[in-house]
Amino acid sequence: MIHMSSDIRLTDELERQLMREAIEEQNRFKPGRALKNLFVKLGSTHKAPASSTGHKNAGSAV
């Protein structure tokens, strides 16, 4: 973000252009970020339990 001092004034046209560009950037689809968010969500919902080793009753062989 650009921080401007209080004595800088924007023309109405420049302000409209900057706002339009900011809104377009906000609404632009970003596939890389979308995939990352998808994998983060999938990873957080499909965690295996810590005690799940697949060796149930390994000590009691009959």
Side-chain angles (χ1 to χ4, degrees):
M1 176 180 267
I2 299 174
H3 298 284
M4 294 187 260
S5 62
S6 61
D7 61 341
I8 295 176
R9 297 180 189 254
L10 300 176
T11 63
D12 288 340
E13 181 58 33
L14 179 57
E15 184 176 5
R16 281 191 289 268
Q17 179 184 356
L18 291 172
M19 290 297 292
R20 185 172 40 249
E21 289 174 5
I23 291 170
E24 288 173 0
E25 177 64 27
Q26 183 179 12
N27 293 331
R28 184 173 294 139
F29 180 69
K30 298 173 179 81
R33 184 176 291 167
L35 282 174
K36 178 183 175 189
N37 291 340
L38 174 66
F39 287 125
V40 167
K41 287 179 184 179
L42 288 175
S44 65
T45 59
H46 295 297
K47 289 185 178 179
S51 63
S52 173
T53 60
H55 296 291
K56 292 182 180 180
N57 299 328
S60 61
V62 179

